[in-house]
Amino acid sequence: MMLSEESLKKIDKELTKYPEESFRSAIMSALTIAQQEKKWLSPDVIEFVADYIGIPPVQAYEVATFYNMYDLKPVGKYKLQVCTNLPCALQGGVNTAEYLKKKLGIELGETTSDGKFTLIEGECLGACGDAPVLLLNNHKMCSFMTEGAIDKMLAELN
Ligand code: FES
């Protein structure tokens, strides 16, 4: 089985929220559950999830490739998604990305050689008032990421 019983149970629970003819509406949750277990979404996993909820694989690929919370290749232990859209950029978001690139020794879209950090550029995270922001591991919003705040965050990530 491609996914654990535990993950399948979680997906089953998501499916109970929709009538059978609308199971495709559960694709985002199902992909998220699969990614939580596998750490990233390989083509095999995406196709398995599509098959499991009964939709054509192409529909699952459309979702998986549209949202950057889905990882289509292995990522580091810590995935840092830096917002560089205009409101953040005006508050130093571009500098935030540049500073992280320098500190980690990688470019946007890359992972450090020790597998610890992946740095990606993100679209507006809906927290422009806290600019510049970044999202840690798809869940934790980090606000006002000045150079000092970045240093502190990196020191806390083991
Ligand atoms: S522009 Fe960065 S959070 Fe909105």
Side-chain angles (χ1 to χ4, degrees), residues 90-116:
L90 292 174
Q91 291 295 324
V94 175
N95 185 51
T96 300
E98 289 304 315
Y99 188 65
L100 275 163
K101 279 162 62 175
K102 195 172 79 183
K103 286 282 289 190
L104 300 174
I106 54 175
E107 294 296 316
L108 292 168
E110 292 183 349
T111 298
T112 53
S113 57
D114 61 1
K116 196 167 170 188

PDB file of all heavy atoms in Angstrom, residues 90-116:
ATOM      1  N   LEU A  90       8.125  45.832  -0.623  1.00  0.00           N
ATOM      2  CA  LEU A  90       8.283  47.225  -0.193  1.00  0.00           C
ATOM      3  C   LEU A  90       8.747  47.328   1.256  1.00  0.00           C
ATOM      4  O   LEU A  90       9.292  48.341   1.681  1.00  0.00           O
ATOM      5  CB  LEU A  90       6.953  47.988  -0.359  1.00  0.00           C
ATOM      6  CG  LEU A  90       6.497  48.211  -1.805  1.00  0.00           C
ATOM      7  CD1 LEU A  90       5.117  48.835  -1.841  1.00  0.00           C
ATOM      8  CD2 LEU A  90       7.500  49.082  -2.567  1.00  0.00           C
ATOM      9  N   GLN A  91       8.514  46.271   2.003  1.00  0.00           N
ATOM     10  CA  GLN A  91       8.940  46.259   3.413  1.00  0.00           C
ATOM     11  C   GLN A  91      10.208  45.426   3.602  1.00  0.00           C
ATOM     12  O   GLN A  91      10.476  44.949   4.699  1.00  0.00           O
ATOM     13  CB  GLN A  91       7.823  45.688   4.292  1.00  0.00           C
ATOM     14  CG  GLN A  91       6.601  46.576   4.404  1.00  0.00           C
ATOM     15  CD  GLN A  91       6.897  47.890   5.106  1.00  0.00           C
ATOM     16  OE1 GLN A  91       7.692  47.933   6.040  1.00  0.00           O
ATOM     17  NE2 GLN A  91       6.288  48.968   4.647  1.00  0.00           N
ATOM     18  N   GLY A  92      10.919  45.150   2.533  1.00  0.00           N
ATOM     19  CA  GLY A  92      12.191  44.447   2.666  1.00  0.00           C
ATOM     20  C   GLY A  92      12.152  42.965   2.329  1.00  0.00           C
ATOM     21  O   GLY A  92      13.093  42.236   2.611  1.00  0.00           O
ATOM     22  N   GLY A  93      11.035  42.504   1.712  1.00  0.00           N
ATOM     23  CA  GLY A  93      10.913  41.073   1.392  1.00  0.00           C
ATOM     24  C   GLY A  93      11.987  40.574   0.442  1.00  0.00           C
ATOM     25  O   GLY A  93      12.441  39.430   0.546  1.00  0.00           O
ATOM     26  N   VAL A  94      12.394  41.421  -0.482  1.00  0.00           N
ATOM     27  CA  VAL A  94      13.443  41.004  -1.414  1.00  0.00           C
ATOM     28  C   VAL A  94      14.751  40.839  -0.644  1.00  0.00           C
ATOM     29  O   VAL A  94      15.489  39.874  -0.836  1.00  0.00           O
ATOM     30  CB  VAL A  94      13.592  42.020  -2.571  1.00  0.00           C
ATOM     31  CG1 VAL A  94      14.764  41.651  -3.464  1.00  0.00           C
ATOM     32  CG2 VAL A  94      12.295  42.073  -3.378  1.00  0.00           C
ATOM     33  N   ASN A  95      14.982  41.764   0.252  1.00  0.00           N
ATOM     34  CA  ASN A  95      16.186  41.663   1.081  1.00  0.00           C
ATOM     35  C   ASN A  95      16.137  40.416   1.966  1.00  0.00           C
ATOM     36  O   ASN A  95      17.155  39.761   2.198  1.00  0.00           O
ATOM     37  CB  ASN A  95      16.335  42.917   1.945  1.00  0.00           C
ATOM     38  CG  ASN A  95      17.623  42.907   2.716  1.00  0.00           C
ATOM     39  OD1 ASN A  95      18.687  42.699   2.131  1.00  0.00           O
ATOM     40  ND2 ASN A  95      17.539  43.084   4.026  1.00  0.00           N
ATOM     41  N   THR A  96      14.931  40.073   2.450  1.00  0.00           N
ATOM     42  CA  THR A  96      14.776  38.864   3.262  1.00  0.00           C
ATOM     43  C   THR A  96      15.228  37.642   2.471  1.00  0.00           C
ATOM     44  O   THR A  96      15.977  36.804   2.965  1.00  0.00           O
ATOM     45  CB  THR A  96      13.289  38.693   3.691  1.00  0.00           C
ATOM     46  OG1 THR A  96      12.908  39.832   4.447  1.00  0.00           O
ATOM     47  CG2 THR A  96      13.090  37.450   4.528  1.00  0.00           C
ATOM     48  N   ALA A  97      14.767  37.560   1.229  1.00  0.00           N
ATOM     49  CA  ALA A  97      15.158  36.425   0.382  1.00  0.00           C
ATOM     50  C   ALA A  97      16.662  36.443   0.140  1.00  0.00           C
ATOM     51  O   ALA A  97      17.336  35.403   0.238  1.00  0.00           O
ATOM     52  CB  ALA A  97      14.394  36.483  -0.939  1.00  0.00           C
ATOM     53  N   GLU A  98      17.201  37.623  -0.166  1.00  0.00           N
ATOM     54  CA  GLU A  98      18.643  37.724  -0.438  1.00  0.00           C
ATOM     55  C   GLU A  98      19.452  37.332   0.796  1.00  0.00           C
ATOM     56  O   GLU A  98      20.457  36.624   0.705  1.00  0.00           O
ATOM     57  CB  GLU A  98      19.018  39.157  -0.866  1.00  0.00           C
ATOM     58  CG  GLU A  98      18.542  39.543  -2.238  1.00  0.00           C
ATOM     59  CD  GLU A  98      19.012  38.586  -3.329  1.00  0.00           C
ATOM     60  OE1 GLU A  98      20.200  38.213  -3.323  1.00  0.00           O
ATOM     61  OE2 GLU A  98      18.178  38.198  -4.158  1.00  0.00           O
ATOM     62  N   TYR A  99      18.994  37.789   1.942  1.00  0.00           N
ATOM     63  CA  TYR A  99      19.725  37.492   3.183  1.00  0.00           C
ATOM     64  C   TYR A  99      19.699  35.991   3.467  1.00  0.00           C
ATOM     65  O   TYR A  99      20.722  35.403   3.848  1.00  0.00           O
ATOM     66  CB  TYR A  99      19.099  38.278   4.340  1.00  0.00           C
ATOM     67  CG  TYR A  99      19.892  38.190   5.625  1.00  0.00           C
ATOM     68  CD1 TYR A  99      21.175  38.735   5.709  1.00  0.00           C
ATOM     69  CD2 TYR A  99      19.371  37.555   6.749  1.00  0.00           C
ATOM     70  CE1 TYR A  99      21.910  38.651   6.884  1.00  0.00           C
ATOM     71  CE2 TYR A  99      20.099  37.468   7.925  1.00  0.00           C
ATOM     72  CZ  TYR A  99      21.360  38.021   7.985  1.00  0.00           C
ATOM     73  OH  TYR A  99      22.101  37.932   9.155  1.00  0.00           O
ATOM     74  N   LEU A 100      18.538  35.364   3.263  1.00  0.00           N
ATOM     75  CA  LEU A 100      18.446  33.915   3.485  1.00  0.00           C
ATOM     76  C   LEU A 100      19.332  33.147   2.500  1.00  0.00           C
ATOM     77  O   LEU A 100      19.986  32.178   2.869  1.00  0.00           O
ATOM     78  CB  LEU A 100      16.990  33.457   3.355  1.00  0.00           C
ATOM     79  CG  LEU A 100      16.164  33.612   4.631  1.00  0.00           C
ATOM     80  CD1 LEU A 100      14.681  33.550   4.333  1.00  0.00           C
ATOM     81  CD2 LEU A 100      16.547  32.546   5.665  1.00  0.00           C
ATOM     82  N   LYS A 101      19.357  33.609   1.258  1.00  0.00           N
ATOM     83  CA  LYS A 101      20.220  32.954   0.253  1.00  0.00           C
ATOM     84  C   LYS A 101      21.673  33.005   0.713  1.00  0.00           C
ATOM     85  O   LYS A 101      22.412  32.020   0.638  1.00  0.00           O
ATOM     86  CB  LYS A 101      20.080  33.663  -1.097  1.00  0.00           C
ATOM     87  CG  LYS A 101      18.849  33.229  -1.877  1.00  0.00           C
ATOM     88  CD  LYS A 101      18.454  34.202  -2.970  1.00  0.00           C
ATOM     89  CE  LYS A 101      19.464  34.405  -4.055  1.00  0.00           C
ATOM     90  NZ  LYS A 101      18.957  35.273  -5.132  1.00  0.00           N
ATOM     91  N   LYS A 102      22.069  34.180   1.197  1.00  0.00           N
ATOM     92  CA  LYS A 102      23.450  34.358   1.642  1.00  0.00           C
ATOM     93  C   LYS A 102      23.740  33.501   2.880  1.00  0.00           C
ATOM     94  O   LYS A 102      24.752  32.797   2.949  1.00  0.00           O
ATOM     95  CB  LYS A 102      23.692  35.839   1.949  1.00  0.00           C
ATOM     96  CG  LYS A 102      25.152  36.224   2.075  1.00  0.00           C
ATOM     97  CD  LYS A 102      25.316  37.732   2.173  1.00  0.00           C
ATOM     98  CE  LYS A 102      24.988  38.179   3.586  1.00  0.00           C
ATOM     99  NZ  LYS A 102      25.045  39.626   3.794  1.00  0.00           N
ATOM    100  N   LYS A 103      22.828  33.534   3.838  1.00  0.00           N
ATOM    101  CA  LYS A 103      23.038  32.785   5.091  1.00  0.00           C
ATOM    102  C   LYS A 103      23.101  31.275   4.845  1.00  0.00           C
ATOM    103  O   LYS A 103      23.879  30.556   5.469  1.00  0.00           O
ATOM    104  CB  LYS A 103      21.874  33.049   6.071  1.00  0.00           C
ATOM    105  CG  LYS A 103      21.875  34.382   6.727  1.00  0.00           C
ATOM    106  CD  LYS A 103      22.840  34.526   7.877  1.00  0.00           C
ATOM    107  CE  LYS A 103      22.429  33.749   9.109  1.00  0.00           C
ATOM    108  NZ  LYS A 103      23.262  34.107  10.274  1.00  0.00           N
ATOM    109  N   LEU A 104      22.226  30.786   3.958  1.00  0.00           N
ATOM    110  CA  LEU A 104      22.130  29.344   3.736  1.00  0.00           C
ATOM    111  C   LEU A 104      23.055  28.859   2.616  1.00  0.00           C
ATOM    112  O   LEU A 104      23.279  27.659   2.470  1.00  0.00           O
ATOM    113  CB  LEU A 104      20.676  28.954   3.407  1.00  0.00           C
ATOM    114  CG  LEU A 104      19.635  29.289   4.494  1.00  0.00           C
ATOM    115  CD1 LEU A 104      18.220  28.994   4.005  1.00  0.00           C
ATOM    116  CD2 LEU A 104      19.925  28.500   5.776  1.00  0.00           C
ATOM    117  N   GLY A 105      23.554  29.798   1.816  1.00  0.00           N
ATOM    118  CA  GLY A 105      24.457  29.421   0.719  1.00  0.00           C
ATOM    119  C   GLY A 105      23.733  28.698  -0.400  1.00  0.00           C
ATOM    120  O   GLY A 105      24.327  27.860  -1.090  1.00  0.00           O
ATOM    121  N   ILE A 106      22.460  29.008  -0.600  1.00  0.00           N
ATOM    122  CA  ILE A 106      21.692  28.382  -1.683  1.00  0.00           C
ATOM    123  C   ILE A 106      20.877  29.449  -2.412  1.00  0.00           C
ATOM    124  O   ILE A 106      20.687  30.554  -1.916  1.00  0.00           O
ATOM    125  CB  ILE A 106      20.720  27.285  -1.161  1.00  0.00           C
ATOM    126  CG1 ILE A 106      19.796  27.824  -0.061  1.00  0.00           C
ATOM    127  CG2 ILE A 106      21.479  26.061  -0.702  1.00  0.00           C
ATOM    128  CD1 ILE A 106      18.740  26.828   0.411  1.00  0.00           C
ATOM    129  N   GLU A 107      20.416  29.066  -3.590  1.00  0.00           N
ATOM    130  CA  GLU A 107      19.534  29.939  -4.364  1.00  0.00           C
ATOM    131  C   GLU A 107      18.084  29.562  -4.073  1.00  0.00           C
ATOM    132  O   GLU A 107      17.825  28.510  -3.487  1.00  0.00           O
ATOM    133  CB  GLU A 107      19.811  29.760  -5.877  1.00  0.00           C
ATOM    134  CG  GLU A 107      21.175  30.233  -6.322  1.00  0.00           C
ATOM    135  CD  GLU A 107      21.359  31.735  -6.134  1.00  0.00           C
ATOM    136  OE1 GLU A 107      20.438  32.501  -6.464  1.00  0.00           O
ATOM    137  OE2 GLU A 107      22.427  32.134  -5.621  1.00  0.00           O
ATOM    138  N   LEU A 108      17.166  30.410  -4.506  1.00  0.00           N
ATOM    139  CA  LEU A 108      15.740  30.084  -4.374  1.00  0.00           C
ATOM    140  C   LEU A 108      15.464  28.789  -5.139  1.00  0.00           C
ATOM    141  O   LEU A 108      15.988  28.583  -6.235  1.00  0.00           O
ATOM    142  CB  LEU A 108      14.886  31.222  -4.946  1.00  0.00           C
ATOM    143  CG  LEU A 108      14.935  32.528  -4.155  1.00  0.00           C
ATOM    144  CD1 LEU A 108      14.294  33.659  -4.947  1.00  0.00           C
ATOM    145  CD2 LEU A 108      14.235  32.366  -2.806  1.00  0.00           C
ATOM    146  N   GLY A 109      14.691  27.910  -4.540  1.00  0.00           N
ATOM    147  CA  GLY A 109      14.382  26.629  -5.194  1.00  0.00           C
ATOM    148  C   GLY A 109      15.366  25.534  -4.853  1.00  0.00           C
ATOM    149  O   GLY A 109      15.224  24.398  -5.320  1.00  0.00           O
ATOM    150  N   GLU A 110      16.378  25.861  -4.043  1.00  0.00           N
ATOM    151  CA  GLU A 110      17.396  24.859  -3.702  1.00  0.00           C
ATOM    152  C   GLU A 110      17.294  24.413  -2.245  1.00  0.00           C
ATOM    153  O   GLU A 110      16.658  25.064  -1.413  1.00  0.00           O
ATOM    154  CB  GLU A 110      18.798  25.428  -3.972  1.00  0.00           C
ATOM    155  CG  GLU A 110      19.079  25.630  -5.449  1.00  0.00           C
ATOM    156  CD  GLU A 110      20.499  26.126  -5.731  1.00  0.00           C
ATOM    157  OE1 GLU A 110      21.226  26.523  -4.772  1.00  0.00           O
ATOM    158  OE2 GLU A 110      20.878  26.126  -6.897  1.00  0.00           O
ATOM    159  N   THR A 111      17.991  23.285  -1.976  1.00  0.00           N
ATOM    160  CA  THR A 111      18.044  22.724  -0.630  1.00  0.00           C
ATOM    161  C   THR A 111      19.507  22.661  -0.207  1.00  0.00           C
ATOM    162  O   THR A 111      20.382  22.349  -1.033  1.00  0.00           O
ATOM    163  CB  THR A 111      17.431  21.299  -0.630  1.00  0.00           C
ATOM    164  OG1 THR A 111      16.053  21.406  -1.013  1.00  0.00           O
ATOM    165  CG2 THR A 111      17.505  20.640   0.741  1.00  0.00           C
ATOM    166  N   THR A 112      19.777  22.951   1.053  1.00  0.00           N
ATOM    167  CA  THR A 112      21.165  22.894   1.529  1.00  0.00           C
ATOM    168  C   THR A 112      21.677  21.455   1.440  1.00  0.00           C
ATOM    169  O   THR A 112      20.897  20.497   1.506  1.00  0.00           O
ATOM    170  CB  THR A 112      21.268  23.392   2.993  1.00  0.00           C
ATOM    171  OG1 THR A 112      20.331  22.664   3.798  1.00  0.00           O
ATOM    172  CG2 THR A 112      20.972  24.866   3.103  1.00  0.00           C
ATOM    173  N   SER A 113      22.987  21.308   1.286  1.00  0.00           N
ATOM    174  CA  SER A 113      23.554  19.963   1.056  1.00  0.00           C
ATOM    175  C   SER A 113      23.324  19.030   2.239  1.00  0.00           C
ATOM    176  O   SER A 113      23.315  17.809   2.074  1.00  0.00           O
ATOM    177  CB  SER A 113      25.046  20.064   0.726  1.00  0.00           C
ATOM    178  OG  SER A 113      25.703  20.738   1.785  1.00  0.00           O
ATOM    179  N   ASP A 114      23.106  19.586   3.443  1.00  0.00           N
ATOM    180  CA  ASP A 114      22.828  18.710   4.591  1.00  0.00           C
ATOM    181  C   ASP A 114      21.344  18.350   4.693  1.00  0.00           C
ATOM    182  O   ASP A 114      20.921  17.663   5.627  1.00  0.00           O
ATOM    183  CB  ASP A 114      23.293  19.370   5.902  1.00  0.00           C
ATOM    184  CG  ASP A 114      22.574  20.695   6.182  1.00  0.00           C
ATOM    185  OD1 ASP A 114      21.710  21.093   5.373  1.00  0.00           O
ATOM    186  OD2 ASP A 114      22.892  21.317   7.217  1.00  0.00           O
ATOM    187  N   GLY A 115      20.555  18.812   3.720  1.00  0.00           N
ATOM    188  CA  GLY A 115      19.133  18.466   3.700  1.00  0.00           C
ATOM    189  C   GLY A 115      18.311  19.190   4.755  1.00  0.00           C
ATOM    190  O   GLY A 115      17.176  18.816   5.018  1.00  0.00           O
ATOM    191  N   LYS A 116      18.876  20.229   5.323  1.00  0.00           N
ATOM    192  CA  LYS A 116      18.170  20.889   6.421  1.00  0.00           C
ATOM    193  C   LYS A 116      17.177  21.966   5.945  1.00  0.00           C
ATOM    194  O   LYS A 116      16.071  22.057   6.466  1.00  0.00           O
ATOM    195  CB  LYS A 116      19.197  21.502   7.373  1.00  0.00           C
ATOM    196  CG  LYS A 116      18.614  21.866   8.716  1.00  0.00           C
ATOM    197  CD  LYS A 116      19.720  22.157   9.725  1.00  0.00           C
ATOM    198  CE  LYS A 116      19.141  22.747  10.996  1.00  0.00           C
ATOM    199  NZ  LYS A 116      20.157  23.222  11.914  1.00  0.00           N
TER     200      LYS A 116
END
